[in-house]
Amino acid sequence: HVSLLASCGCSLTAKMSDLSTRVAALEAELETAKADYNESLDTIWMLLASMLVFFMHSGFSLLESGTVRFKNTQNILAKNL
């Protein structure tokens, strides 16, 4: 029985070593996935913010053109470019 336990202990140690290596590899892969996810969220936020600025700019142009006489509308819109 002693030799059987010794051989199982060696095999168990090898399996534990293999598992710890695999866990370390999975943790590294998870960190890479988190970094990619954060970069994607940053890009989406920048696109959303730029769309909001674009629409705010056009809305402000409409507001300004509504506060002047019709003959000055083109001049005001050209100044907003």
Side-chain angles (χ1 to χ4, degrees), residues 3-73:
S3 64
L4 181 62
L5 289 176
S7 67
C8 288
C10 180
S11 174
L12 186 63
T13 305
K15 287 181 182 179
M16 290 296 288
S17 170
D18 183 47
L19 281 176
S20 67
T21 304
R22 292 169 78 186
V23 167
L26 286 173
E27 286 176 346
E29 187 177 330
L30 182 63
E31 289 300 319
T32 304
K34 282 182 183 179
D36 290 344
Y37 182 72
N38 286 338
E39 186 175 342
S40 297
L41 285 178
D42 288 345
T43 303
I44 290 170
W45 174 246
M46 289 298 291
L47 289 172
L48 178 66
S50 63
M51 282 183 8
L52 288 173
V53 169
F54 179 77
F55 286 117
M56 285 190 296
H57 182 76
S58 61
F60 186 69
S61 296
L62 291 173
L63 175 72
E64 277 193 324
S65 65
T67 60
V68 296
R69 297 176 107 190
F70 181 73
K71 66 178 185 173
N72 298 328
T73 301

